[in-house]
Amino acid sequence: MDHLCGKTIIASGFHTTKRGDIDHFQNALISIGDDGAIASVLRPHDDNYNEQKDSQKAAGKLVTLPEGAYLLPGFIDLHIHAPQYPQLGSALDVPLEVWLQKYTFPLEARYADAAFARKSYRLLVDDLIANGTTTALYFATIHQEATRILADICLEAGQRALIGKVAMDNVDECPDFYRDASPEAALRGTEELIGYIRSHPANAAALVKPVVTPRFIPSCTDATLEGLGALAKSCGCHVQTHCSESDWEHGYVLDRHGITDTESLDRFGLLGRHTVLAHSNLITPRNMDTIRARGSGIAHCPLSNAYFSSAVFPLKAALEKGLHVGLGTDISGGPSASLFDNMRSALFVARLLESGVDPSLPPAKRSAQSGVWIDFRDAFYLATTGGAIALDLPVGHFSPGYQFDAMVIDTAAPGGTIRLWDDLDSGENILQKIIYTASKSNIARVWIGGRDVFRSPSLKSGLK
Ligand code: GUN
Ligand code: FE
């Protein structure tokens, strides 16, 4: 393994620290400390550049990316259901409330079997890393043992992960074969997982973090929501849940609590700086103000929303209000493990929201929205720094003090799908082409916290 801890990489590539600004760095010298954090980033015009380069080379600690290879920050998947991986790309023929009961709860119930969990989770974590996902915010299942196995596997594979034992105890919405036995059981299970992850002997650097995870309001009793709100405060953990995803779900909460998901979660103390709300398609402008005031984040899941939501998330409005937004695959509601696919989906759905979709209407009447589309810079921001800010983690770009979570895009990879033309492509346009056309074959290397976690078997242009 070619770890970069204690070494320096000389690389060209892209990152974004601020929405709209793309930094195309060339031959940057990125030095990584033993703790996996970036110690310094020098550009060719910086004073110490040549000195640092020469001394690292003499010490045998300089790694050089070849021509045609671009360094990108690793992607952050802000919403993913780990146990649903076996049904990726299937079960998409019914609405959310039917999908949960017919396909998803029966599948998740199978994770009572530790051997099944181990096999499925190992495949998922390896596939995600190979897709460039260096941080994932996971929903697991209600099971203690299987969720611990997911944490073990992330630690073994070296993936940065935030993992929640799902809490769901409402007898009216959860089947008898798959629910927490009581609010006490839901809370105890959550506390036990927090203890396991925090005291894990392989987790001294807190690569894996526990997450308080009420599935969504319909699945939980008020006692569980209240208990988890108090627990989130006392343990200081991240919180994740689903929010105003579809008309059915949004309406259910209005009927039961007489207020929106956002208002209800806030009353239970579940909206904080470390909360991530999945979907949030039907949030009102006032809900947005509340989410912003609490500093909570939103996981935009464009691909999943196309199947299970009744609306497109008002992404542009959320970004312009300064909400923290990142991207989620929402496996298996979204049938792709790739953040590239989800960046593209975010771009496409924003275009459709702007243009409207009904060809029988005249163009001027097809959509009531304007100024809502985003560009590739926004999509890249969402998949990297946007997600990192939502999680409040020092990842997502290449700056001193940030963890070196990165991938190499080999534009000349065999079987790859990026076609660059010397006389046409330069600067940001190369990033645009990467975002629109890269496939898994183009991902040559992945590091997390400087640790070498993936190298493509077909890597043509080796590192020097
Ligand atoms: N709401 C509650 N559970 C789920 C789930 O597993 N997927 C999605 N998309 N929405 C949910
Ligand atoms: Fe989800």
Side-chain angles (χ1 to χ4, degrees), residues 283 288-289 291-292 296 298 317-325:
I283 55 173
M288 274 199 200
D289 293 339
I291 293 166
R292 186 186 141 79
S296 303
I298 293 177
L319 288 171
E320 286 184 348
K321 275 200 173 187
L323 273 67
H324 304 147
V325 188

Side-chain angles (χ1 to χ4, degrees), residues 17 50 55 100 139 154 180 185 188 197 227 235 302 361 364 376 383 395 411:
T17 57
N50 285 324
S55 71
L100 286 170
F139 276 62
C154 291
D180 288 308
R188 207 179 329 110
I197 290 177
C235 71
L361 294 173
F376 71 95
V395 295
T411 56

Side-chain angles (χ1 to χ4, degrees), residues 75-160:
F75 293 143
I76 294 160
D77 189 339
L78 213 49
H79 181 58
I80 166 165
H81 296 266
Q84 295 172 18
Y85 198 43
Q87 72 181 10
L88 186 82
S90 66
L92 294 166
D93 57 332
V94 288
L96 175 66
E97 60 276 25
V98 179
W99 175 83
L100 286 170
Q101 306 291 340
K102 182 175 173 187
Y103 300 114
T104 301
F105 292 156
L107 173 60
E108 291 192 13
R110 289 188 61 187
Y111 287 74
D113 174 354
F116 179 72
R118 190 167 285 111
K119 182 174 166 199
S120 163
Y121 286 158
R122 183 79 225 189
L123 196 61
L124 172 69
V125 171
D126 288 348
D127 284 356
L128 289 178
I129 292 174
N131 272 294
T133 299
T134 50
T135 299
L137 174 56
Y138 289 113
F139 276 62
T141 61
I142 65 169
H143 311 103
Q144 192 62 221
E145 191 184 359
T147 307
R148 291 179 181 204
I149 288 170
L150 177 59
D152 294 347
I153 288 172
C154 291
L155 287 166
E156 279 160 31
Q159 191 187 38
R160 199 176 302 289

